[in-house]
Amino acid sequence: MDFELIEQSLPYLIQGALITIEITLMAVGIGFFIGLFAGIARICRIKALRIIATIYADCIRGTPLLVQIFLIYFALPMLIHTQINPFVAAVTACAINSGAYVSEIFRAGIQAIDQGQFEAGHSLGLSWWQTMYYIILPQAFHNILPPLGNEFITMLKDSSLVSVIGFEELTRRGQLIIAQTYASFEIWMTVAALYLIMTLAIAKFVSFMEHK
């Protein structure tokens, strides 16, 4: 194994890892709010919102993230006649994808709360939305924290797919080094190690938050 090559490549790969984290943070952050509203919409009393939210979740979860990236980066510019920045396309595709899965997490977390909590809110004179905000969501958050952590880890790994549009995150930088050095084993092992470090760090953080 060429340890000298690994040492030389590590700073370049770490920069790619930081870009991967940036994409993941932005995608899951935006996806959190998309999922929150979509998850609530899927169980609200307004039928039109339920239908729209269900179609969104089913369509996104039923198609590969790679296809969604292609649609946003290659197909969408043909409709709007404007080239989309690779970073914007990457974050947008990942956020939309993450939002669909987060919506299911919120839906399941909210429905796990006892129905009596809704009735208690109504007995206090709160509207459905007020009951959701003040009573249900604070309790549901404890239930959804572990699957949210899993979604963050999943998106961190799935963000490697944006390399197909030439965006230089961790995986793409590994490919560029291999194209010059042909040292596939050393570079891919280093890339895998960096992903493992990041996922373990997230898992530890989520575990810490659960205990808090």
Side-chain angles (χ1 to χ4, degrees), residues 16-30:
L18 293 176
I19 295 173
T20 294
I21 293 174
E22 183 181 3
I23 292 174
T24 305
L25 284 172
M26 294 186 68
V28 177
I30 297 171

Side-chain angles (χ1 to χ4, degrees), residues 16-17 46 50 54 65 84 107 173 197 200-201:
I46 304 174
R50 291 202 308 270
T54 300
L65 175 57
I84 299 177
R107 184 196 63 78
R173 291 193 174 210
I197 291 170
L200 289 177

Side-chain angles (χ1 to χ4, degrees), residues 18 30 50 59 65 93 104 106 136 155-156 167 189 191 203:
L18 293 176
I30 297 171
R50 291 202 308 270
C59 288
L65 175 57
E104 184 64 18
F106 270 107
I136 305 302
M155 184 51 62
L156 179 75
F167 190 73
M189 284 296 292
V191 169

Side-chain angles (χ1 to χ4, degrees), residues 122-140:
H122 296 327
S123 68
L124 292 173
L126 300 178
S127 68
W128 190 91
W129 295 102
Q130 289 174 323
T131 302
M132 181 65 65
Y133 181 79
Y134 290 109
I135 299 177
I136 305 302
L137 285 179
Q139 298 180 68

Side-chain angles (χ1 to χ4, degrees), residues 47-189:
K47 185 176 181 180
L49 287 180
R50 291 202 308 270
I51 294 174
I52 293 172
T54 300
I55 292 173
Y56 159 70
D58 289 346
C59 288
I60 298 301
R61 293 169 62 209
T63 54
L65 175 57
L66 183 60
V67 174
Q68 295 162 16
I69 293 171
F70 284 153
L71 282 172
I72 291 176
Y73 188 68
F74 293 113
L76 184 59
M78 297 178 67
L79 296 177
I80 62 176
H81 305 292
T82 302
Q83 184 61 44
I84 299 177
N85 181 278
F87 180 78
V88 174
V91 171
T92 301
C94 291
I96 293 174
N97 182 274
S98 180
Y101 288 93
V102 172
S103 72
E104 184 64 18
I105 292 172
F106 270 107
R107 184 196 63 78
I110 291 171
Q111 291 185 328
I113 303 300
D114 189 86
Q115 187 65 27
Q117 298 294 312
F118 284 97
E119 296 172 359
H122 296 327
S123 68
L124 292 173
L126 300 178
S127 68
W128 190 91
W129 295 102
Q130 289 174 323
T131 302
M132 181 65 65
Y133 181 79
Y134 290 109
I135 299 177
I136 305 302
L137 285 179
Q139 298 180 68
F141 187 77
H142 179 73
N143 297 331
I144 68 176
L145 188 57
L148 274 178
N150 291 334
E151 171 59 22
F152 198 102
I153 291 173
T154 299
M155 184 51 62
L156 179 75
K157 294 182 291 184
D158 286 350
S159 66
S160 62
L161 292 173
V162 304
S163 62
V164 299
I165 60 175
F167 190 73
E168 292 189 22
E169 42 68 70
L170 177 56
T171 300
R172 178 60 177 170
R173 291 193 174 210
Q175 291 173 335
L176 293 175
I177 295 174
I178 292 170
Q180 296 176 343
T181 64
Y182 301 100
S184 297
F185 181 78
E186 290 88 345
I187 299 304
W188 285 132
M189 284 296 292

